[in-house]
Amino acid sequence: MQTDFDVTVENGELAIIYDSVQNPLPLNAIRLEGDTLSYTFSAGVLVRCVVERQDDGSYTGECKTGNGETGRHTMKPPAS
């Protein structure tokens, strides 16, 4: 499923909105350390994601819920 992430910097902090199918979800606890981006969001349950920068500039990694479900997120930069 393809969705969009709106990435901005607000007051010197990274802010990301995940434009999900149902409604926009703000990402929380955003941390960018080296090539690793981590964040959480709530989709009825808390989802924690850790994604790694890839050679093409995208970020890919795993997301986990508190009840053990997993999925993958890939963030690609806009096409030029």
Side-chain angles (χ1 to χ4, degrees), residues 7 27 29 65 68 70-71 74 76 79:
V7 181
L27 302 187
T65 66
T70 62
T74 298
K76 293 183 179 182

Side-chain angles (χ1 to χ4, degrees), residues 32-65:
L32 179 59
E33 296 176 338
D35 289 336
T36 302
L37 175 66
S38 61
Y39 51 89
T40 64
F41 64 93
S42 179
V45 297
L46 183 65
V47 179
R48 297 179 190 277
C49 301
V50 177
V51 294
E52 301 283 334
R53 185 186 324 251
Q54 306 300 302
D55 290 339
D56 65 359
S58 67
Y59 285 82
T60 298
E62 189 171 75
C63 297
K64 297 180 182 180
T65 66

